[in-house]
Amino acid sequence: MQWENLLSTQRFKPENGQILPTVTASSEEGAEALRTDFHIDYDRVVFSSGFRRLARKTQVHPFATHDHTHNRLTHSVEVASVGRSLGNRVGVMLNKGGFLPPSNHPADIGAVVQVACLAHDFGNPPFGHTGEDALRDWFRDPQHNIYLQDLTPAERHDIETYEGNAHSLRLVTTLEMYQNDGGMRLTAAVIGALLKYPWTSSATHREDKFNIYQSELPIIRAVAAELGLAQIGENHWVRHPLSYLMEAADDICYALLDLEDAVELELLHVDEVEKILSKLTNPEYAWQSFSSRERCARLRGVAIGRAVENIAQTFITHHRDLLRGTFQGKDLLALASPDVNDALNEAKELARTRIFRHESKLITEIATFPCLASILNILVPAVHAFITAPAVSRRQELALSLLKEQKLKKEDSLYQAYMKILDFIGGMTDNTAARLAREVSGIGML
């Protein structure tokens, strides 16, 4: 792979059954454009409805009422900030090493990573990863097999495996802005950096995590060819090097900021956080002289700076393997210095044992399954009847009217129709899903 290709500003859209290049956004603004193509990508993401919805989607604590607790929006903004810092640092080092094309500025690397980070959680359904599990659980239930039997194996894998990463890609390439006409039409470089799992749900190397639904496969084939991503299997490509920086930024933020939220919610004591983060800071510093909130903020700031510096250097150390596509199956954090790797892993383990298993969180997670099932119970039979039966019942007709932005068409295939259901539910906030489930059950009528 070559940076000249990996930083491509080419955009794509479907036309007459093909995926074709479209004019670059900066050229539309004229030769004196004040925004680079990557800045235009940033603006398109920030002004999208998918981005705004993140404000009411779970990061860790559903329906949190504390003013300082993170949601998916604040998490994404912070990940983007860390990603920009990582990218800028790497860009400077690539430029010094003579690897950056003359037409690119070191800050272009930071801009690409920043945009990918902003969009990386677009596809998270209500209630986060538990929401993914609930959607998968419903479609994989043997009693619902009747609704899936007419799908191809690849289509069935998609429908049975709601994956937030794949839905993030679907939002930016299909659903937002130019709906079903190229989506946001982001640059190939940004789409490549967003592909953390560049394979389909039915690729040979199949696992639950993947980035590409069958519906987005044509545009990803065009993007992969433009970027020069080597294909290593059927519908399976090597990762774009900058996707590793996006992944590292996300790892850093959720490892450290989940702990900060837990201190705010009094699930952890600040001393427990300091014990871990002091490995990346000056252990002799008098942190105790500050309030819990300020101690956390100072510790977090120093720790993030240390992690950014180290992981950027790790990227450069493995630069050759990243360009060759031989870095597969690894991540930058695992190869970072022991102090950074150990501190972040200890932070994640503390979150797993003390935060994720807390009773208040468990109760909401358990309720997620019947909540989303109640919505699927009315939508899936109605959609199945609309596509396969000569007529629908009055109840099914009412259920179909819920799909406003995702309105069905008679020419839709069953797969396309089910994807519209997943778009509808995946686009809901926690509050909307909970309210709709309550209302369709009849409980909220009185």
Side-chain angles (χ1 to χ4, degrees):
M1 292 183 283
Q2 303 290 329
W3 283 112
E4 287 86 352
N5 306 115
L6 292 169
L7 294 174
S8 169
T9 58
Q10 185 61 63
R11 302 168 190 273
F12 293 91
K13 67 174 182 177
E15 192 172 305
N16 299 323
Q18 296 180 294
I19 302 297
L20 301 177
T22 186
V23 65
T24 61
S26 60
S27 63
E28 288 177 341
E29 297 195 351
E32 302 302 320
L34 298 178
R35 299 183 297 167
T36 70
D37 273 284
F38 304 134
H39 292 147
I40 292 169
D41 286 351
Y42 176 91
D43 292 344
R44 289 183 178 184
V45 170
V46 166
F47 283 93
S48 68
S49 58
F51 187 66
R52 292 193 297 275
R53 285 197 300 269
L54 294 175
R56 289 188 176 272
K57 289 199 175 189
T58 295
Q59 172 58 20
V60 173
H61 306 282
F63 306 117
T65 56
H66 197 290
D67 289 343
H68 295 277
T69 303
H70 288 83
N71 53 46
R72 285 283 168 185
L73 180 65
T74 51
H75 167 74
S76 297
V77 170
E78 289 170 346
V79 172
S81 179
V82 173
R84 183 191 61 220
S85 296
L86 276 168
N88 285 346
R89 186 175 286 267
V90 165
V92 168
M93 290 190 280
L94 288 175
N95 198 43
K96 284 183 178 179
F99 299 109
L100 206 60
S103 58
N104 287 104
H105 188 276
D108 288 342
I109 302 291
V112 170
V113 178
Q114 181 183 30
V115 179
C117 289
L118 273 181
H120 85 285
D121 269 350
F122 260 23
N124 267 51
F127 314 115
H129 295 305
T130 306
E132 289 179 313
D133 291 336
L135 292 168
R136 296 171 184 175
D137 184 74
W138 194 95
F139 281 105
R140 292 175 182 178
D141 189 325
Q143 67 177 320
H144 299 140
N145 183 60
I146 186 174
Y147 300 117
L148 304 178
Q149 58 189 8
D150 293 330
L151 299 175
T152 68
E155 291 171 342
R156 182 164 182 158
H157 286 156
D158 279 2
I159 302 302
E160 288 183 334
T161 318
Y162 185 100
E163 168 54 45
N165 292 287
H167 241 81
S168 294
L169 183 71
R170 180 167 166 79
L171 258 75
V172 301
T173 59
T174 301
L175 301 179
E176 287 276 355
M177 198 168 171
Y178 298 103
Q179 191 174 54
N180 298 313
D181 194 26
M184 292 185 183
R185 300 181 187 171
L186 302 181
T187 59
V190 164
I191 293 175
L194 188 60
L195 288 171
K196 186 177 176 182
Y197 308 103
W199 53 81
T200 62
S201 66
S202 53
T204 305
H205 146 174
R206 188 194 171 203
E207 54 182 80
D208 275 353
K209 288 196 175 294
F210 63 96
N211 249 116
I212 310 166
Y213 288 126
Q214 295 298 309
S215 50
E216 279 63 59
L217 187 53
I219 197 166
I220 295 308
R221 284 176 175 152
V223 168
E226 173 69 20
L227 296 172
L229 303 182
Q231 189 164 352
I232 54 179
E234 185 179 4
N235 300 327
H236 182 185
W237 290 266
V238 300
R239 289 176 65 177
H240 191 296
L242 297 186
S243 72
Y244 290 95
L245 294 180
M246 177 199 69
E247 177 183 45
D250 191 27
D251 279 346
I252 291 168
C253 286
Y254 81 71
L256 302 182
L257 297 167
D258 286 353
L259 300 187
E260 195 168 345
D261 280 352
V263 172
E264 287 282 356
L265 296 170
E266 299 183 347
L267 302 179
L268 292 176
H269 192 277
V270 66
D271 289 345
E272 297 175 277
V273 177
E274 183 179 337
K275 183 178 179 182
I276 293 174
L277 299 192
S278 61
K279 297 178 181 181
L280 302 180
T281 62
N282 182 352
E284 313 217 340
Y285 194 77
W287 302 107
Q288 289 78 6
S289 61
F290 302 104
S291 68
S292 292
R293 183 176 297 164
E294 190 170 357
R295 281 171 73 184
C296 279
R298 287 174 179 252
L299 285 161
R300 176 246 303 151
V302 176
I304 287 178
R306 175 80 178 86
V308 164
E309 178 184 4
N310 188 258
I311 289 174
Q313 184 57 56
T314 302
F315 182 98
I316 296 299
T317 299
H318 297 277
H319 179 232
R320 181 175 296 180
D321 288 338
L322 287 161
L323 288 185
R324 287 177 175 173
T326 56
F327 196 75
Q328 302 298 306
K330 305 172 186 175
D331 64 76
L332 295 174
L333 177 58
L335 297 175
S337 65
D339 57 343
V340 170
N341 187 17
D342 291 348
L344 294 182
N345 282 329
E346 284 183 37
K348 291 178 187 178
E349 183 59 27
L350 184 60
R352 274 191 294 268
T353 56
R354 297 282 300 283
I355 303 171
F356 297 159
R357 297 298 91 194
H358 191 269
E359 182 180 356
S360 62
K361 181 169 171 56
L362 287 174
I363 291 171
T364 304
E365 289 184 344
I366 292 169
T368 296
F369 287 80
C371 172
L372 296 186
S374 67
I375 301 172
L376 291 168
N377 285 340
I378 67 164
L379 286 178
V380 175
V383 165
H384 185 266
F386 180 84
I387 299 296
T388 64
V392 296
S393 68
R394 176 57 177 159
R395 181 175 188 269
Q396 290 170 338
E397 182 183 349
L398 291 170
L400 292 173
S401 66
L402 292 172
L403 301 174
K404 297 174 183 175
E405 292 296 319
Q406 298 80 15
K407 189 173 181 180
L408 295 189
K409 301 175 183 176
K410 270 299 182 183
E411 60 266 29
D412 285 341
S413 68
L414 191 59
Y415 170 75
Q416 290 171 327
Y418 286 160
M419 287 303 295
K420 289 183 177 182
I421 293 178
L422 295 180
D423 295 338
F424 174 68
I425 296 179
M428 288 182 183
T429 64
D430 298 359
N431 306 67
T432 300
R435 185 182 68 249
L436 180 60
R438 184 172 60 252
E439 290 173 348
V440 298
S441 71
I443 294 174
M445 290 184 70
L446 297 176

